[in-house]
Amino acid sequence: MPREWTIKGDYVEACNCDVACQCVWLEPPDDDVCEVSLAWHIEEGRYGDVDLSGVDVGMLISTEEGVMFDTETEWDVVLLVDETADDDQREAVEDIYLGRAGGIWAPVADTHVRSADVATVPIDYSRDGMDFSVDIGDVIEMDASAAVGFNEEVGTISPHPLTQSHEVQTGKSTTAAVSYDDRFEWDVSGNNAYLGDFELANS
Amino acid sequence: METDDSFRERITRRRVPIVALVAYVIALGAWTAVVGRWLPMPGGATDAPMQPSEPGVPEAMALSNGPSGIALYLFMWGVMMIAMMYPSSVPLFRLYAETLAGTTTAGKAARVGAFLGTYALVWTLTGVVPLALNALVPIAGLANDHGGFLMGGSLLLLSVYQLSPYKYRCLRYCRSPLGFLMTHHRPGVRGAVRMSGEFAVFCIGCCWALFAFMVIVGSMNIIWMALIAVALSLERTVTWGEQLARVIGLLAGITGCTVVALSVI
């Protein structure tokens, strides 16, 4: 049964690169590996009949050495689903983010994902203007704000793959610490963050 | 559970590479049409003394037959472009189709159709360039009088472009279909048209010098068509593609210098 989906809301990521992370220019990351935590607050969303409004989602990606989007680079992924989500919502989030339901995550899953864990965790996501603060169980602690450049203006990065407009704001983390299952352990505080509104769909 | 079953079904069905098969069959059809000479010649007359594989001949025939000649030339050029460009574009077509999982079959067909169609259309329109050039300077006449300079000059142009940074900026997108998709993906049929147009522009940026050379040696010369199609496909798909592009640039430069030198003597 075909199911169309659409989700939109707030988004923030924080990685090990300096400001701004070069993966969107298909260049090798700092230290040649990517360790990134991503978090979404879905304000409005649906997957078929399932309402996804209000659901929070987290993700960890750790890559092998090399350019993140090079076809040969393999990723290990952890999907973190809000414990307040019901079963249908949890399945929907898994389908979407693990690339089983089309959209940009489908080619990613097909091309890159070597391992994918799913965990249900408490997620505390808050946004105040361009300041983001996300706590995901014992797994992610992430605080990030927009990076302000000349004329006190927030920088914009385009094209960025994770929103329909292809535009996100440049940012910097104050905290970006991750701990999951011994395999995903990093503290990349004070480095790159991309943040802003997001909108994704599969049609 | 019902949702689980339908889900599993979808996973197994995803393994049938329908879009890849369709693209390969269309490309094969295009090659068959070119090799089998099923295409109507722009000039209509097949008993003419001129061979359509000779330099400048298809262009001259098209121009001497007005709008219908030009339309037929562009059609022929479009079929040739499908034959040469579709096979190496399959990885992108396939990845794009995956982003449409969950969309209805009709919706998926419309978007993939728009993607394939726009790509073919943009490449077809590049056929205007050899026609316009030929209207200014008839290639056939030049090839007869100054064949060496013409061939040598086009090889030197190819060499310079193959070794220039512009070539690699475009080739990078053609070589990384996922990279392209991640940074250009847009939803809907209009998104498919726009994305495909952008991809075609990168491909043209990548390959125009090879095609310029092909027009000079004869745009309907099947041997050169096949060689160039293999070269550009390897450039875009194998791990040593960038090195190959440089080797082609060097070889073209050496051959070009030799040809020019020989025609001076």
Coordinates of all heavy atoms in Angstrom, one line a residue, chain B residues 185-245:
Chain B
H185 N 17.9 17.4 -4.6 CA 16.6 16.7 -4.6 C 15.5 17.7 -4.4 O 15.5 18.5 -3.5 CB 16.6 15.6 -3.6 CG 15.3 14.8 -3.6 ND1 14.3 15.1 -2.8 CD2 14.9 13.8 -4.4 CE1 13.3 14.2 -3.0 NE2 13.7 13.5 -4.0
R186 N 14.5 17.6 -5.2 CA 13.2 18.4 -5.0 C 12.0 17.5 -5.3 O 12.1 16.6 -6.1 CB 13.2 19.6 -5.9 CG 14.2 20.6 -5.5 CD 14.1 21.8 -6.4 NE 15.3 22.7 -6.1 CZ 15.3 23.6 -5.2 NH1 14.2 23.9 -4.5 NH2 16.4 24.3 -4.9
P187 N 10.9 17.7 -4.5 CA 9.8 16.8 -4.7 C 8.9 17.2 -5.9 O 9.1 18.3 -6.4 CB 9.0 17.1 -3.4 CG 9.4 18.5 -3.0 CD 10.8 18.7 -3.5
G188 N 8.0 16.3 -6.2 CA 7.0 16.5 -7.2 C 7.5 16.4 -8.7 O 8.7 16.2 -8.9
V189 N 6.6 16.5 -9.6 CA 6.9 16.4 -11.0 C 7.8 17.6 -11.5 O 8.8 17.4 -12.2 CB 5.6 16.3 -11.9 CG1 6.0 16.3 -13.4 CG2 4.9 15.0 -11.6
R190 N 7.4 18.7 -11.0 CA 8.2 19.9 -11.3 C 9.6 19.8 -10.7 O 10.6 20.2 -11.4 CB 7.5 21.2 -10.8 CG 6.3 21.6 -11.7 CD 5.6 22.8 -11.1 NE 6.4 24.0 -10.9 CZ 6.0 25.1 -10.3 NH1 4.8 25.1 -9.7 NH2 6.7 26.1 -10.3
G191 N 9.7 19.2 -9.6 CA 11.0 19.0 -9.0 C 11.8 18.1 -9.8 O 13.0 18.3 -10.0
A192 N 11.2 17.0 -10.4 CA 11.9 16.1 -11.2 C 12.4 16.8 -12.5 O 13.6 16.5 -12.9 CB 10.9 14.9 -11.6
V193 N 11.6 17.6 -13.1 CA 12.0 18.4 -14.3 C 13.2 19.2 -13.9 O 14.2 19.3 -14.7 CB 10.8 19.2 -14.8 CG1 11.3 20.2 -15.9 CG2 9.7 18.3 -15.3
R194 N 13.1 20.0 -12.8 CA 14.1 20.9 -12.4 C 15.5 20.2 -12.1 O 16.5 20.6 -12.7 CB 13.7 21.7 -11.2 CG 14.6 22.7 -10.8 CD 14.0 23.6 -9.8 NE 15.0 24.3 -9.1 CZ 14.8 25.3 -8.3 NH1 13.6 25.7 -8.0 NH2 15.8 26.0 -7.7
M195 N 15.4 19.1 -11.3 CA 16.5 18.3 -11.0 C 17.2 17.7 -12.2 O 18.4 17.8 -12.4 CB 16.1 17.2 -10.1 CG 16.6 17.1 -8.7 SD 16.2 15.5 -8.0 CE 14.4 15.5 -8.1
S196 N 16.4 17.2 -13.1 CA 16.9 16.5 -14.3 C 17.6 17.5 -15.2 O 18.6 17.3 -15.8 CB 15.8 15.8 -15.0 OG 16.2 15.2 -16.1
G197 N 17.0 18.7 -15.3 CA 17.6 19.8 -16.1 C 18.9 20.2 -15.5 O 19.9 20.4 -16.3
E198 N 19.0 20.3 -14.2 CA 20.3 20.7 -13.6 C 21.3 19.6 -13.8 O 22.5 19.9 -14.1 CB 20.1 20.9 -12.0 CG 19.3 22.2 -11.7 CD 18.9 22.3 -10.3 OE1 18.7 21.2 -9.6 OE2 18.7 23.4 -9.8
F199 N 20.9 18.3 -13.7 CA 21.8 17.2 -13.9 C 22.3 17.2 -15.4 O 23.5 17.0 -15.6 CB 21.1 15.9 -13.6 CG 22.1 14.7 -13.7 CD1 23.2 14.6 -12.9 CD2 21.8 13.7 -14.7 CE1 24.0 13.5 -13.1 CE2 22.6 12.6 -14.8 CZ 23.8 12.5 -14.0
A200 N 21.4 17.5 -16.3 CA 21.8 17.5 -17.7 C 22.8 18.6 -18.0 O 23.8 18.4 -18.7 CB 20.5 17.7 -18.6
V201 N 22.7 19.7 -17.3 CA 23.6 20.8 -17.5 C 25.0 20.4 -17.0 O 26.0 20.6 -17.7 CB 23.1 22.1 -16.7 CG1 24.3 23.1 -16.7 CG2 21.9 22.7 -17.5
F202 N 25.1 19.7 -15.8 CA 26.4 19.2 -15.4 C 26.9 18.2 -16.4 O 28.1 18.2 -16.7 CB 26.2 18.5 -14.0 CG 26.1 19.5 -12.9 CD1 25.0 19.4 -12.0 CD2 27.1 20.4 -12.7 CE1 24.9 20.4 -11.0 CE2 27.0 21.3 -11.6 CZ 25.9 21.3 -10.8
C203 N 26.1 17.3 -16.9 CA 26.6 16.3 -17.9 C 27.1 17.0 -19.2 O 28.1 16.6 -19.7 CB 25.4 15.4 -18.3 SG 25.0 14.2 -17.0
I204 N 26.4 18.1 -19.6 CA 26.8 18.8 -20.8 C 28.2 19.4 -20.5 O 29.1 19.4 -21.3 CB 25.8 19.9 -21.2 CG1 24.5 19.2 -21.7 CG2 26.4 20.8 -22.3 CD1 23.3 20.1 -21.9
G205 N 28.3 20.0 -19.3 CA 29.6 20.6 -18.8 C 30.7 19.6 -18.8 O 31.8 19.9 -19.1
C206 N 30.3 18.3 -18.6 CA 31.3 17.3 -18.5 C 31.7 16.8 -19.9 O 32.8 16.4 -20.1 CB 30.6 16.1 -17.7 SG 31.7 14.8 -17.3
C207 N 30.8 16.7 -20.8 CA 31.0 16.0 -22.1 C 31.0 16.8 -23.3 O 31.2 16.3 -24.4 CB 30.0 14.9 -22.2 SG 29.8 13.8 -20.8
W208 N 30.8 18.1 -23.3 CA 30.6 18.9 -24.5 C 31.8 18.8 -25.4 O 31.6 18.7 -26.6 CB 30.2 20.4 -24.2 CG 31.3 21.2 -23.6 CD1 31.5 21.4 -22.3 CD2 32.3 21.9 -24.4 NE1 32.6 22.2 -22.2 CE2 33.1 22.5 -23.4 CE3 32.6 22.0 -25.7 CZ2 34.3 23.3 -23.8 CZ3 33.8 22.8 -26.1 CH2 34.5 23.4 -25.1
A209 N 33.0 18.8 -24.9 CA 34.2 18.8 -25.7 C 34.3 17.5 -26.5 O 34.8 17.5 -27.6 CB 35.4 19.1 -24.9
L210 N 33.9 16.4 -25.8 CA 33.9 15.1 -26.5 C 33.0 15.2 -27.7 O 33.2 14.6 -28.8 CB 33.5 14.0 -25.6 CG 34.6 13.5 -24.6 CD1 34.0 12.7 -23.5 CD2 35.7 12.7 -25.3
F211 N 31.8 15.8 -27.5 CA 30.8 15.9 -28.6 C 31.2 16.8 -29.7 O 30.9 16.6 -30.8 CB 29.4 16.2 -28.0 CG 28.8 15.0 -27.3 CD1 28.6 15.0 -26.0 CD2 28.5 13.9 -28.0 CE1 28.0 13.9 -25.3 CE2 27.9 12.8 -27.4 CZ 27.7 12.8 -26.0
A212 N 31.9 17.9 -29.3 CA 32.4 18.8 -30.3 C 33.4 18.1 -31.2 O 33.3 18.2 -32.4 CB 33.1 20.0 -29.6
F213 N 34.2 17.2 -30.6 CA 35.1 16.4 -31.4 C 34.4 15.5 -32.3 O 34.7 15.3 -33.5 CB 36.1 15.6 -30.5 CG 36.9 14.6 -31.2 CD1 38.0 15.0 -32.0 CD2 36.7 13.3 -31.0 CE1 38.7 14.1 -32.7 CE2 37.5 12.3 -31.7 CZ 38.5 12.8 -32.5
M214 N 33.3 14.9 -31.8 CA 32.5 13.9 -32.5 C 31.9 14.6 -33.8 O 31.8 14.0 -34.8 CB 31.4 13.3 -31.6 CG 30.8 12.1 -32.2 SD 29.5 11.4 -31.2 CE 28.2 12.6 -31.5
V215 N 31.4 15.9 -33.6 CA 30.8 16.6 -34.7 C 31.8 16.8 -35.8 O 31.5 16.6 -37.0 CB 30.2 17.9 -34.3 CG1 29.8 18.8 -35.5 CG2 29.0 17.7 -33.4
I216 N 33.1 17.1 -35.4 CA 34.1 17.3 -36.4 C 34.5 16.0 -37.1 O 34.7 16.1 -38.4 CB 35.4 17.9 -35.7 CG1 35.1 19.2 -35.0 CG2 36.5 18.1 -36.7 CD1 34.5 20.3 -35.9
V217 N 34.5 14.9 -36.4 CA 34.8 13.6 -37.2 C 33.6 13.0 -37.8 O 33.7 12.1 -38.6 CB 35.5 12.6 -36.2 CG1 36.8 13.0 -35.8 CG2 34.6 12.2 -35.1
G218 N 32.4 13.6 -37.6 CA 31.2 13.1 -38.2 C 30.2 12.7 -37.2 O 30.4 11.7 -36.5
S219 N 29.1 13.5 -37.0 CA 28.2 13.2 -35.9 C 27.4 12.0 -36.0 O 26.7 11.6 -35.1 CB 27.3 14.5 -35.6 OG 26.7 14.8 -36.8
M220 N 27.4 11.3 -37.2 CA 26.7 10.0 -37.3 C 27.7 8.9 -37.6 O 27.4 7.9 -38.1 CB 25.7 10.1 -38.4 CG 24.4 10.7 -37.9 SD 23.5 9.5 -36.9 CE 23.1 10.4 -35.5
N221 N 28.9 9.1 -37.2 CA 30.0 8.1 -37.3 C 29.8 7.1 -36.2 O 30.2 7.4 -35.0 CB 31.3 8.7 -37.4 CG 32.4 7.8 -37.6 OD1 32.5 6.7 -37.1 ND2 33.4 8.2 -38.5
I222 N 29.4 5.9 -36.5 CA 29.0 5.0 -35.4 C 30.2 4.5 -34.6 O 30.1 4.3 -33.4 CB 28.2 3.7 -36.0 CG1 26.9 4.2 -36.4 CG2 28.1 2.6 -34.9 CD1 26.1 3.3 -37.3
I223 N 31.4 4.3 -35.2 CA 32.6 3.9 -34.5 C 33.0 4.9 -33.5 O 33.2 4.6 -32.3 CB 33.8 3.7 -35.5 CG1 33.4 2.8 -36.7 CG2 35.0 3.2 -34.8 CD1 33.3 1.3 -36.3
W224 N 33.0 6.2 -33.9 CA 33.4 7.3 -32.9 C 32.3 7.4 -31.8 O 32.6 7.6 -30.7 CB 33.6 8.6 -33.7 CG 35.0 8.7 -34.2 CD1 35.4 8.7 -35.5 CD2 36.2 8.8 -33.4 NE1 36.7 8.7 -35.6 CE2 37.3 8.8 -34.4 CE3 36.5 8.8 -32.1 CZ2 38.6 8.9 -34.0 CZ3 37.8 8.9 -31.7 CH2 38.9 9.0 -32.6
M225 N 31.0 7.3 -32.2 CA 29.9 7.3 -31.3 C 30.2 6.3 -30.2 O 30.1 6.6 -29.0 CB 28.6 7.0 -31.9 CG 27.8 8.2 -32.4 SD 26.3 7.6 -33.2 CE 25.4 7.0 -31.7
A226 N 30.5 5.1 -30.6 CA 30.7 4.0 -29.6 C 31.9 4.2 -28.7 O 31.8 4.1 -27.5 CB 30.8 2.6 -30.4
L227 N 33.0 4.7 -29.3 CA 34.2 4.9 -28.6 C 34.0 6.0 -27.5 O 34.4 5.9 -26.4 CB 35.3 5.3 -29.5 CG 36.0 4.2 -30.2 CD1 37.1 4.8 -31.2 CD2 36.8 3.3 -29.2
I228 N 33.3 7.1 -28.0 CA 33.1 8.2 -27.1 C 32.1 7.8 -26.0 O 32.3 8.2 -24.8 CB 32.6 9.5 -27.9 CG1 33.8 10.0 -28.7 CG2 32.1 10.6 -27.0 CD1 33.4 11.1 -29.7
A229 N 31.1 7.1 -26.3 CA 30.1 6.6 -25.3 C 30.8 5.8 -24.2 O 30.6 5.9 -23.0 CB 29.0 5.8 -25.9
V230 N 31.7 4.9 -24.7 CA 32.5 4.1 -23.7 C 33.4 5.0 -22.9 O 33.4 4.8 -21.6 CB 33.3 3.0 -24.5 CG1 34.3 2.4 -23.5 CG2 32.4 1.9 -25.1
A231 N 34.1 5.9 -23.5 CA 35.0 6.8 -22.7 C 34.2 7.6 -21.7 O 34.6 7.6 -20.5 CB 35.7 7.7 -23.7
L232 N 33.1 8.2 -22.1 CA 32.4 9.0 -21.1 C 31.7 8.2 -20.0 O 31.6 8.6 -18.9 CB 31.4 10.0 -21.8 CG 30.2 9.5 -22.5 CD1 29.0 9.4 -21.6 CD2 29.8 10.5 -23.6
S233 N 31.3 7.0 -20.4 CA 30.7 6.1 -19.4 C 31.7 5.7 -18.3 O 31.5 5.7 -17.2 CB 30.1 4.9 -20.0 OG 29.1 5.2 -20.9
L234 N 32.9 5.4 -18.8 CA 34.0 5.0 -17.9 C 34.4 6.2 -17.0 O 34.6 6.0 -15.8 CB 35.2 4.5 -18.6 CG 35.1 3.1 -19.3 CD1 36.3 2.7 -20.1 CD2 34.8 2.0 -18.2
E235 N 34.5 7.3 -17.6 CA 34.9 8.6 -16.8 C 33.9 8.7 -15.7 O 34.3 9.2 -14.6 CB 34.8 9.8 -17.7 CG 36.0 10.1 -18.5 CD 35.8 11.5 -19.3 OE1 34.7 12.1 -19.2 OE2 36.7 11.9 -20.0
R236 N 32.6 8.4 -15.9 CA 31.6 8.7 -14.9 C 31.4 7.6 -13.9 O 30.7 7.8 -12.9 CB 30.3 9.0 -15.6 CG 30.4 10.3 -16.4 CD 29.2 10.5 -17.3 NE 28.0 10.6 -16.6 CZ 26.8 10.7 -17.1 NH1 26.6 10.7 -18.4 NH2 25.7 10.9 -16.4
T237 N 31.9 6.4 -14.2 CA 31.5 5.2 -13.4 C 32.6 4.5 -12.6 O 32.4 4.1 -11.5 CB 30.6 4.2 -14.1 OG1 31.3 3.9 -15.3 CG2 29.3 4.7 -14.5
V238 N 33.7 4.4 -13.3 CA 34.8 3.6 -12.6 C 35.6 4.4 -11.7 O 35.7 5.7 -11.8 CB 35.7 2.8 -13.6 CG1 34.9 1.9 -14.5 CG2 36.4 3.9 -14.5
T239 N 36.3 3.8 -10.7 CA 37.1 4.5 -9.7 C 38.2 5.3 -10.4 O 38.6 6.4 -9.9 CB 37.7 3.6 -8.6 OG1 38.4 2.6 -9.3 CG2 36.7 3.1 -7.7
W240 N 38.8 4.9 -11.5 CA 39.9 5.6 -12.2 C 39.3 6.5 -13.2 O 40.1 6.9 -14.1 CB 40.9 4.6 -12.7 CG 40.3 3.3 -13.3 CD1 39.9 2.2 -12.6 CD2 39.9 3.1 -14.7 NE1 39.4 1.3 -13.5 CE2 39.4 1.8 -14.8 CE3 40.0 3.8 -15.9 CZ2 38.9 1.2 -16.0 CZ3 39.6 3.3 -17.1 CH2 39.0 2.0 -17.1
G241 N 38.1 6.9 -13.1 CA 37.4 7.8 -14.1 C 38.1 9.1 -14.3 O 38.3 9.6 -15.4
E242 N 38.5 9.7 -13.2 CA 39.2 11.0 -13.3 C 40.5 10.9 -14.0 O 40.9 11.8 -14.8 CB 39.3 11.7 -11.9 CG 38.0 12.1 -11.4 CD 38.1 13.2 -10.3 OE1 39.2 13.6 -10.0 OE2 37.1 13.5 -9.6
Q243 N 41.3 9.9 -13.7 CA 42.6 9.7 -14.3 C 42.4 9.4 -15.8 O 43.1 10.0 -16.6 CB 43.3 8.5 -13.7 CG 43.9 8.7 -12.3 CD 43.0 8.3 -11.2 OE1 41.8 8.6 -11.2 NE2 43.5 7.6 -10.2
L244 N 41.3 8.7 -16.1 CA 41.0 8.4 -17.6 C 40.7 9.7 -18.3 O 41.2 10.0 -19.4 CB 39.8 7.5 -17.7 CG 39.4 7.2 -19.1 CD1 40.4 6.4 -19.9 CD2 38.0 6.6 -19.2
A245 N 40.0 10.6 -17.6 CA 39.7 11.9 -18.3 C 41.0 12.7 -18.6 O 41.1 13.3 -19.6 CB 38.8 12.8 -17.3

